[in-house]
Amino acid sequence: MNIILYMIFFLTGITSGYYCSLIANEIPKKLDLKRTNYSKNYNESLASKLTYTLIGGVSSVVLANTLNISVSSYDISSIIIYIFGMIYISILVLIGGIDKNYSKINKSVLAFGVVSSILYMIYLFVIDLSSVNLNIKYLFVYMILLLVDAFLLRKFAKDSYLINLLILISIISVYSNFIILIYTLILAITSIILYTIILKSQQRKKGNKKIKISEIPIGFFISSSNIIVLFMVRIFESYFI
């Protein structure tokens, strides 16, 4: 019976992943975003959809297994956390996917991430009163970042990529923990350095064109690094602890 249950989780995940691929493709079209990173893969659209779909399916199964959800053992709390977890993974995938190609963290997806994380904090407060102090700190950080973002948007009529990054990091902090956030940032920084080195090497062959910092998809590296770290932590806990 558990096999059937996890097949349902997998199908739910790939459906969610495919839907995310459609959203990630539709949002840039609606906003008329200018693409900053191109791929030489002629089947990029298909590869992108397969990637989104696979991440969704794998994430769904891993998350259900992490929460020990089975036919004989489950509770409402696990199901609720599972739903929040899938929403969180979807947010990371959307933010990373759009940023990878357009070097832009989409505001609507980010706002949805903030709202969902606040709802998650409320849920944690209901089941564990000891989490209130930490969650108040997160809410204070959100308030400061959103006020600064609103000020900059009003003054310059332009999104601040840095503020969006800080909001993304705050969302990761709420859904993960401090240790996972540190691992995520270390992996992201390492990936960005390697990406820059490879990009410089490729551009020397094309006339030594300068790399624009604004075109480095930092949000993509942070989002994807967090997903990788979460998977690695789960594997380590399952087989080495």
Side-chain angles (χ1 to χ4, degrees):
M1 291 298 292
N2 279 335
I3 294 177
I4 296 176
L5 178 63
Y6 275 80
M7 285 180 64
I8 294 174
F9 281 130
F10 184 73
L11 290 174
T12 301
I14 62 176
T15 301
S16 174
Y18 180 74
Y19 183 63
C20 283
S21 72
L22 298 179
I23 295 176
N25 187 52
E26 189 65 26
I27 288 177
K29 288 182 179 179
K30 287 184 177 180
L31 299 177
D32 196 25
L33 298 180
K34 181 181 179 182
R35 193 174 179 118
T36 56
N37 295 293
Y38 297 87
S39 172
K40 293 181 179 179
N41 185 359
Y42 295 105
N43 297 315
E44 181 185 5
S45 178
L46 177 60
S48 177
K49 287 181 180 180
L50 288 175
T51 301
Y52 279 104
T53 302
L54 182 61
I55 291 175
V58 173
S59 299
S60 181
V61 172
V62 171
L63 183 58
N65 181 254
T66 300
L67 296 171
N68 295 317
I69 299 176
S70 65
V71 174
S72 59
S73 175
Y74 70 92
D75 53 47
I76 298 299
S77 178
S78 296
I79 299 299
I80 292 174
I81 293 176
Y82 170 82
I83 293 172
F84 274 116
M86 287 303 296
I87 290 173
Y88 174 57
I89 295 296
S90 298
I91 290 167
L92 290 180
V93 168
L94 283 173
I95 288 176
I98 295 173
D99 190 53
K100 177 179 178 291
N101 294 322
Y102 299 92
S103 300
K104 183 177 178 64
I105 297 177
N106 181 258
K107 210 69 172 178
S108 60
V109 179
L110 198 64
F112 182 70
V114 171
V115 172
S116 69
S117 65
I118 291 175
L119 291 175
Y120 182 61
M121 284 189 281
I122 293 173
Y123 171 72
L124 291 179
F125 171 72
V126 170
I127 64 174
D128 182 12
L129 292 177
S130 65
S131 66
V132 63
N133 290 330
L134 181 60
N135 289 334
I136 287 176
K137 292 177 182 177
Y138 285 138
L139 288 173
F140 180 74
V141 171
Y142 275 149
M143 183 178 68
I144 296 299
L145 290 175
L146 292 174
L147 286 173
V148 172
D149 184 56
F151 171 77
L152 294 176
L153 187 60
R154 184 173 181 178
K155 186 175 180 64
F156 300 105
K158 184 180 179 182
D159 271 345
S160 169
Y161 190 84
L162 176 59
I163 296 298
N164 288 342
L165 275 179
L166 293 175
I167 294 175
L168 171 60
I169 291 172
S170 299
I171 294 172
I172 291 174
S173 300
V174 172
Y175 275 109
S176 307
N177 58 51
F178 183 72
I179 299 299
I180 288 179
L181 175 62
I182 295 300
Y183 288 152
T184 295
L185 294 178
I186 290 173
L187 180 58
I189 291 171
T190 303
S191 301
I192 290 170
I193 292 172
L194 291 174
Y195 171 79
T196 305
I197 292 172
I198 293 171
L199 204 59
K200 280 186 176 180
S201 176
Q202 292 176 343
Q203 289 184 342
R204 284 196 188 99
K205 300 175 182 179
K206 300 178 181 179
N208 202 26
K209 181 182 176 182
K210 291 185 178 180
I211 298 174
K212 294 181 180 180
I213 296 178
S214 60
E215 293 183 357
I216 297 177
I218 300 175
F220 161 74
F221 286 110
I222 292 177
S223 298
S224 56
S225 293
N226 187 238
I227 293 174
I228 292 170
V229 168
L230 289 172
F231 281 150
M232 289 177 65
V233 168
R234 174 53 189 159
I235 292 171
F236 182 80
E237 289 176 346
S238 297
Y239 296 100
F240 298 99
I241 294 181

